[in-house]
Every structure is written in C-alpha cells, then in structure tokens.
Amino acid sequence: MSIVHQHARLFQESQMKRNDQIERINALFAGSMLAPQTLENQVIRSLLPQEMETLRGPCHCTCQDWSKIRLLLPRNQVHKDQSGRLQQVVSRNTFSDLVVIGLADD
C-alpha cells in the first residue's frame, strides 16, 4: 500500500470516528440542556464558573452567551474543574451559538 493510500485510509478512519462522536453529541442534545446529559461513558455539562473565567482570562476567549458553552467529559470527570485542561487545548477563540468542547478521552 502506498503512503498516499495509507494516509487516505487514516483520514477516512479519523473522519468516521469524528462522525460517530458528532452523532453521540447530537443524541445528548436531544434531551434537556439544563442537567448534565450522559451517553455511554461520556457526559455533556455546562461550564463551572471557574472554567468560564479560565476561558475568558488565560485562554483569551470571548462569547456573547457563556450559558451555551458545554464540555464533553468522561463520566468520572463530570464534577471536576477542567480549567487546567482547557488552558492546554483552547486559546483565543470566539464562541457563538451552541458549542461543545470535547475533553473526553477516546
């Protein structure tokens, strides 16, 4: 198999995995957004106040409505402050509408 075919295969696998994640997230959003939503071993929840401040401050992010920002987390991390992790993966973003920041390990 040529290197081009190998990269194409890896890209397709990555794309399929991403599409699966999107389908799972869509299923989570079908429920109420007021409480954390669970699916398999992942949870979508709203930002904690300190996470919002981390995104505003050290991460230099902006947003008109922070209540529309959600985190996708492993179920065992749902109550843990994710500020440190956000600083590692998010920087200088402007969020609009509904946004899910994926921090769930695959």
mmCIF file of all heavy atoms in Angstrom, residues 29-45:
data_model
loop_
_atom_site.group_PDB
_atom_site.id
_atom_site.type_symbol
_atom_site.label_atom_id
_atom_site.label_comp_id
_atom_site.label_asym_id
_atom_site.label_seq_id
_atom_site.Cartn_x
_atom_site.Cartn_y
_atom_site.Cartn_z
ATOM 1 N N PHE A 29 -27.833 16.134 22.930
ATOM 2 C CA PHE A 29 -28.547 17.397 22.851
ATOM 3 C C PHE A 29 -30.037 17.218 22.621
ATOM 4 O O PHE A 29 -30.803 18.147 22.770
ATOM 5 C CB PHE A 29 -27.960 18.296 21.763
ATOM 6 C CG PHE A 29 -26.740 19.019 22.221
ATOM 7 C CD1 PHE A 29 -25.517 18.746 21.660
ATOM 8 C CD2 PHE A 29 -26.815 19.946 23.239
ATOM 9 C CE1 PHE A 29 -24.394 19.399 22.097
ATOM 10 C CE2 PHE A 29 -25.689 20.598 23.684
ATOM 11 C CZ PHE A 29 -24.476 20.331 23.115
ATOM 12 N N ALA A 30 -30.448 16.026 22.272
ATOM 13 C CA ALA A 30 -31.875 15.772 22.091
ATOM 14 C C ALA A 30 -32.617 15.872 23.420
ATOM 15 O O ALA A 30 -33.808 16.148 23.447
ATOM 16 C CB ALA A 30 -32.089 14.400 21.462
ATOM 17 N N GLY A 31 -31.900 15.687 24.524
ATOM 18 C CA GLY A 31 -32.501 15.784 25.857
ATOM 19 C C GLY A 31 -32.444 17.203 26.387
ATOM 20 O O GLY A 31 -32.074 18.146 25.699
ATOM 21 N N SER A 32 -32.801 17.354 27.619
ATOM 22 C CA SER A 32 -32.789 18.655 28.278
ATOM 23 C C SER A 32 -31.362 19.164 28.431
ATOM 24 O O SER A 32 -30.459 18.422 28.755
ATOM 25 C CB SER A 32 -33.429 18.535 29.659
ATOM 26 O OG SER A 32 -33.175 19.701 30.409
ATOM 27 N N MET A 33 -31.178 20.462 28.232
ATOM 28 C CA MET A 33 -29.843 21.055 28.378
ATOM 29 C C MET A 33 -29.640 21.614 29.783
ATOM 30 O O MET A 33 -28.598 22.161 30.077
ATOM 31 C CB MET A 33 -29.645 22.174 27.341
ATOM 32 C CG MET A 33 -29.554 21.661 25.924
ATOM 33 S SD MET A 33 -28.274 20.409 25.707
ATOM 34 C CE MET A 33 -26.826 21.374 26.047
ATOM 35 N N LEU A 34 -30.629 21.493 30.660
ATOM 36 C CA LEU A 34 -30.495 22.062 31.992
ATOM 37 C C LEU A 34 -29.639 21.197 32.903
ATOM 38 O O LEU A 34 -28.929 21.707 33.754
ATOM 39 C CB LEU A 34 -31.874 22.273 32.614
ATOM 40 C CG LEU A 34 -32.769 23.249 31.853
ATOM 41 C CD1 LEU A 34 -34.142 23.326 32.521
ATOM 42 C CD2 LEU A 34 -32.127 24.612 31.750
ATOM 43 N N ALA A 35 -29.697 19.908 32.738
ATOM 44 C CA ALA A 35 -28.929 18.985 33.576
ATOM 45 C C ALA A 35 -27.869 18.302 32.723
ATOM 46 O O ALA A 35 -28.009 18.226 31.503
ATOM 47 C CB ALA A 35 -29.862 17.939 34.171
ATOM 48 N N PRO A 36 -26.793 17.816 33.339
ATOM 49 C CA PRO A 36 -25.799 17.067 32.552
ATOM 50 C C PRO A 36 -26.459 15.897 31.834
ATOM 51 O O PRO A 36 -27.316 15.220 32.385
ATOM 52 C CB PRO A 36 -24.799 16.582 33.596
ATOM 53 C CG PRO A 36 -24.969 17.515 34.750
ATOM 54 C CD PRO A 36 -26.426 17.908 34.740
ATOM 55 N N GLN A 37 -26.064 15.687 30.605
ATOM 56 C CA GLN A 37 -26.603 14.606 29.791
ATOM 57 C C GLN A 37 -25.536 13.529 29.652
ATOM 58 O O GLN A 37 -24.370 13.841 29.426
ATOM 59 C CB GLN A 37 -27.001 15.118 28.406
ATOM 60 C CG GLN A 37 -28.049 16.211 28.443
ATOM 61 C CD GLN A 37 -29.359 15.708 28.984
ATOM 62 O OE1 GLN A 37 -29.882 14.714 28.498
ATOM 63 N NE2 GLN A 37 -29.886 16.367 29.994
ATOM 64 N N THR A 38 -25.931 12.268 29.764
ATOM 65 C CA THR A 38 -24.955 11.179 29.681
ATOM 66 C C THR A 38 -25.266 10.271 28.505
ATOM 67 O O THR A 38 -26.407 10.104 28.109
ATOM 68 C CB THR A 38 -24.941 10.340 30.970
ATOM 69 O OG1 THR A 38 -26.223 9.767 31.139
ATOM 70 C CG2 THR A 38 -24.564 11.177 32.175
ATOM 71 N N LEU A 39 -24.213 9.717 27.971
ATOM 72 C CA LEU A 39 -24.311 8.711 26.924
ATOM 73 C C LEU A 39 -23.081 7.834 27.052
ATOM 74 O O LEU A 39 -21.957 8.336 27.036
ATOM 75 C CB LEU A 39 -24.358 9.362 25.544
ATOM 76 C CG LEU A 39 -24.509 8.431 24.357
ATOM 77 C CD1 LEU A 39 -25.866 7.744 24.393
ATOM 78 C CD2 LEU A 39 -24.358 9.201 23.057
ATOM 79 N N GLU A 40 -23.299 6.545 27.211
ATOM 80 C CA GLU A 40 -22.205 5.597 27.414
ATOM 81 C C GLU A 40 -21.343 6.074 28.577
ATOM 82 O O GLU A 40 -21.843 6.249 29.665
ATOM 83 C CB GLU A 40 -21.398 5.435 26.124
ATOM 84 C CG GLU A 40 -22.197 4.838 24.979
ATOM 85 C CD GLU A 40 -21.433 4.836 23.679
ATOM 86 O OE1 GLU A 40 -20.215 5.083 23.683
ATOM 87 O OE2 GLU A 40 -22.071 4.594 22.651
ATOM 88 N N ASN A 41 -20.093 6.365 28.344
ATOM 89 C CA ASN A 41 -19.188 6.760 29.427
ATOM 90 C C ASN A 41 -18.812 8.239 29.356
ATOM 91 O O ASN A 41 -17.821 8.653 29.925
ATOM 92 C CB ASN A 41 -17.927 5.893 29.410
ATOM 93 C CG ASN A 41 -17.163 6.034 28.101
ATOM 94 O OD1 ASN A 41 -17.689 6.561 27.127
ATOM 95 N ND2 ASN A 41 -15.935 5.571 28.086
ATOM 96 N N GLN A 42 -19.616 9.039 28.650
ATOM 97 C CA GLN A 42 -19.327 10.461 28.500
ATOM 98 C C GLN A 42 -20.505 11.300 28.978
ATOM 99 O O GLN A 42 -21.644 10.851 28.989
ATOM 100 C CB GLN A 42 -19.015 10.788 27.043
ATOM 101 C CG GLN A 42 -17.779 10.065 26.541
ATOM 102 C CD GLN A 42 -17.551 10.274 25.063
ATOM 103 O OE1 GLN A 42 -18.460 10.581 24.316
ATOM 104 N NE2 GLN A 42 -16.313 10.114 24.640
ATOM 105 N N VAL A 43 -20.194 12.537 29.353
ATOM 106 C CA VAL A 43 -21.196 13.464 29.866
ATOM 107 C C VAL A 43 -20.983 14.816 29.212
ATOM 108 O O VAL A 43 -19.842 15.250 29.016
ATOM 109 C CB VAL A 43 -21.058 13.611 31.402
ATOM 110 C CG1 VAL A 43 -22.000 14.661 31.940
ATOM 111 C CG2 VAL A 43 -21.279 12.289 32.080
ATOM 112 N N ILE A 44 -22.082 15.479 28.879
ATOM 113 C CA ILE A 44 -22.018 16.877 28.459
ATOM 114 C C ILE A 44 -22.606 17.700 29.596
ATOM 115 O O ILE A 44 -23.701 17.410 30.078
ATOM 116 C CB ILE A 44 -22.815 17.130 27.171
ATOM 117 C CG1 ILE A 44 -22.094 16.490 25.994
ATOM 118 C CG2 ILE A 44 -22.981 18.627 26.935
ATOM 119 C CD1 ILE A 44 -22.747 16.760 24.661
ATOM 120 N N ARG A 45 -21.856 18.714 30.020
ATOM 121 C CA ARG A 45 -22.354 19.584 31.082
ATOM 122 C C ARG A 45 -21.973 21.031 30.790
ATOM 123 O O ARG A 45 -21.104 21.317 29.970
ATOM 124 C CB ARG A 45 -21.811 19.159 32.438
ATOM 125 C CG ARG A 45 -20.316 19.367 32.602
ATOM 126 C CD ARG A 45 -20.000 19.494 34.087
ATOM 127 N NE ARG A 45 -18.591 19.478 34.389
ATOM 128 C CZ ARG A 45 -17.780 20.524 34.285
ATOM 129 N NH1 ARG A 45 -18.215 21.686 33.847
ATOM 130 N NH2 ARG A 45 -16.498 20.419 34.611
#
